[in-house]
Tab-separated table of all heavy atoms in Angstrom:
chain	number	residue	atom	x	y	z
A	56	THR	N	-34.762	69.013	91.313
A	56	THR	CA	-34.566	68.408	89.988
A	56	THR	C	-33.478	69.117	89.193
A	56	THR	O	-33.146	70.280	89.453
A	56	THR	CB	-35.865	68.455	89.155
A	56	THR	OG1	-36.207	69.819	88.934
A	56	THR	CG2	-36.994	67.706	89.813
A	57	LEU	N	-32.979	68.402	88.231
A	57	LEU	CA	-32.017	68.937	87.284
A	57	LEU	C	-32.418	68.391	85.918
A	57	LEU	O	-32.468	67.167	85.731
A	57	LEU	CB	-30.601	68.480	87.638
A	57	LEU	CG	-29.510	69.005	86.715
A	57	LEU	CD1	-28.417	69.659	87.524
A	57	LEU	CD2	-28.957	67.893	85.864
A	58	THR	N	-32.744	69.259	84.988
A	58	THR	CA	-33.104	68.822	83.633
A	58	THR	C	-32.242	69.573	82.640
A	58	THR	O	-31.981	70.779	82.796
A	58	THR	CB	-34.595	69.082	83.322
A	58	THR	OG1	-34.865	70.465	83.527
A	58	THR	CG2	-35.500	68.232	84.182
A	59	LEU	N	-31.783	68.858	81.629
A	59	LEU	CA	-30.931	69.461	80.614
A	59	LEU	C	-31.762	70.288	79.650
A	59	LEU	O	-32.877	69.914	79.289
A	59	LEU	CB	-30.193	68.379	79.824
A	59	LEU	CG	-29.131	67.588	80.579
A	59	LEU	CD1	-28.528	66.527	79.681
A	59	LEU	CD2	-28.050	68.506	81.104
A	60	THR	N	-31.176	71.387	79.228
A	60	THR	CA	-31.764	72.152	78.138
A	60	THR	C	-31.414	71.426	76.844
A	60	THR	O	-30.619	70.463	76.837
A	60	THR	CB	-31.189	73.581	78.095
A	60	THR	OG1	-29.790	73.500	77.839
A	60	THR	CG2	-31.460	74.324	79.395
A	61	GLU	N	-31.957	71.875	75.724
A	61	GLU	CA	-31.623	71.259	74.431
A	61	GLU	C	-30.131	71.395	74.153
A	61	GLU	O	-29.480	70.437	73.728
A	61	GLU	CB	-32.439	71.934	73.321
A	61	GLU	CG	-32.285	71.257	71.973
A	61	GLU	CD	-33.143	71.917	70.900
A	61	GLU	OE1	-34.284	72.302	71.207
A	61	GLU	OE2	-32.641	72.022	69.779
A	62	GLU	N	-29.589	72.580	74.429
A	62	GLU	CA	-28.145	72.787	74.247
A	62	GLU	C	-27.349	71.898	75.201
A	62	GLU	O	-26.305	71.359	74.851
A	62	GLU	CB	-27.777	74.265	74.483
A	62	GLU	CG	-28.338	75.233	73.492
A	62	GLU	CD	-29.754	75.691	73.832
A	62	GLU	OE1	-30.302	75.295	74.891
A	62	GLU	OE2	-30.317	76.454	73.040
A	63	GLY	N	-27.849	71.776	76.421
A	63	GLY	CA	-27.182	70.942	77.417
A	63	GLY	C	-27.143	69.482	77.022
A	63	GLY	O	-26.133	68.797	77.220
A	64	ALA	N	-28.244	68.988	76.420
A	64	ALA	CA	-28.285	67.591	75.976
A	64	ALA	C	-27.279	67.356	74.850
A	64	ALA	O	-26.563	66.336	74.847
A	64	ALA	CB	-29.698	67.223	75.529
A	65	ARG	N	-27.205	68.296	73.895
A	65	ARG	CA	-26.238	68.150	72.787
A	65	ARG	C	-24.804	68.222	73.321
A	65	ARG	O	-23.941	67.441	72.934
A	65	ARG	CB	-26.477	69.224	71.731
A	65	ARG	CG	-27.689	68.976	70.866
A	65	ARG	CD	-27.696	69.806	69.582
A	65	ARG	NE	-27.330	71.198	69.775
A	65	ARG	CZ	-28.196	72.194	69.980
A	65	ARG	NH1	-29.489	71.942	70.023
A	65	ARG	NH2	-27.763	73.432	70.129
A	66	PHE	N	-24.562	69.185	74.225
A	66	PHE	CA	-23.221	69.344	74.785
A	66	PHE	C	-22.835	68.117	75.610
A	66	PHE	O	-21.699	67.647	75.536
A	66	PHE	CB	-23.158	70.623	75.635
A	66	PHE	CG	-21.778	70.970	76.110
A	66	PHE	CD1	-20.795	71.358	75.214
A	66	PHE	CD2	-21.448	70.908	77.461
A	66	PHE	CE1	-19.518	71.678	75.646
A	66	PHE	CE2	-20.184	71.227	77.906
A	66	PHE	CZ	-19.210	71.620	77.001
A	67	HIS	N	-23.780	67.574	76.363
A	67	HIS	CA	-23.526	66.382	77.167
A	67	HIS	C	-23.100	65.212	76.284
A	67	HIS	O	-22.126	64.508	76.592
A	67	HIS	CB	-24.772	66.019	77.991
A	67	HIS	CG	-24.620	64.782	78.789
A	67	HIS	ND1	-25.205	63.587	78.445
A	67	HIS	CD2	-23.914	64.539	79.939
A	67	HIS	CE1	-24.870	62.670	79.336
A	67	HIS	NE2	-24.101	63.217	80.248
A	68	ALA	N	-23.800	65.011	75.170
A	68	ALA	CA	-23.454	63.912	74.253
A	68	ALA	C	-22.034	64.080	73.707
A	68	ALA	O	-21.261	63.114	73.625
A	68	ALA	CB	-24.467	63.836	73.111
A	69	ARG	N	-21.663	65.312	73.356
A	69	ARG	CA	-20.313	65.561	72.838
A	69	ARG	C	-19.264	65.376	73.929
A	69	ARG	O	-18.187	64.828	73.682
A	69	ARG	CB	-20.214	66.983	72.267
A	69	ARG	CG	-21.040	67.263	71.027
A	69	ARG	CD	-20.508	66.580	69.771
A	69	ARG	NE	-19.207	66.997	69.359
A	69	ARG	CZ	-18.949	67.945	68.482
A	69	ARG	NH1	-19.930	68.622	67.931
A	69	ARG	NH2	-17.706	68.232	68.157
A	70	CYS	N	-19.575	65.833	75.129
A	70	CYS	CA	-18.625	65.687	76.242
A	70	CYS	C	-18.343	64.224	76.523
A	70	CYS	O	-17.191	63.842	76.781
A	70	CYS	CB	-19.163	66.363	77.500
A	70	CYS	SG	-19.127	68.157	77.438
A	71	ILE	N	-19.381	63.398	76.474
A	71	ILE	CA	-19.195	61.960	76.710
A	71	ILE	C	-18.255	61.385	75.661
A	71	ILE	O	-17.341	60.616	75.988
A	71	ILE	CB	-20.553	61.228	76.737
A	71	ILE	CG1	-21.283	61.578	78.024
A	71	ILE	CG2	-20.373	59.721	76.595
A	71	ILE	CD1	-22.662	60.986	78.139
A	72	ARG	N	-18.449	61.753	74.397
A	72	ARG	CA	-17.565	61.251	73.334
A	72	ARG	C	-16.130	61.742	73.523
A	72	ARG	O	-15.179	60.977	73.378
A	72	ARG	CB	-18.091	61.667	71.964
A	72	ARG	CG	-19.298	60.871	71.518
A	72	ARG	CD	-19.582	61.013	70.026
A	72	ARG	NE	-19.813	62.383	69.605
A	72	ARG	CZ	-20.992	62.986	69.556
A	72	ARG	NH1	-22.084	62.342	69.941
A	72	ARG	NH2	-21.097	64.222	69.131
A	73	ILE	N	-15.975	63.018	73.858
A	73	ILE	CA	-14.635	63.582	74.044
A	73	ILE	C	-13.915	62.910	75.211
A	73	ILE	O	-12.751	62.506	75.088
A	73	ILE	CB	-14.717	65.112	74.259
A	73	ILE	CG1	-15.138	65.794	72.960
A	73	ILE	CG2	-13.389	65.675	74.777
A	73	ILE	CD1	-15.550	67.248	73.129
A	74	LEU	N	-14.592	62.770	76.330
A	74	LEU	CA	-13.966	62.135	77.496
A	74	LEU	C	-13.663	60.661	77.232
A	74	LEU	O	-12.641	60.140	77.683
A	74	LEU	CB	-14.844	62.305	78.736
A	74	LEU	CG	-15.002	63.756	79.220
A	74	LEU	CD1	-16.049	63.852	80.318
A	74	LEU	CD2	-13.670	64.327	79.675
Side-chain angles (χ1 to χ4, degrees):
T56 63
L57 181 128
T58 56
L59 292 178
T60 63
E61 187 178 321
E62 294 85 3
R65 285 197 315 266
F66 187 67
H67 177 255
R69 293 289 297 266
C70 287
I71 288 177
R72 285 196 301 269
I73 290 167
L74 294 171

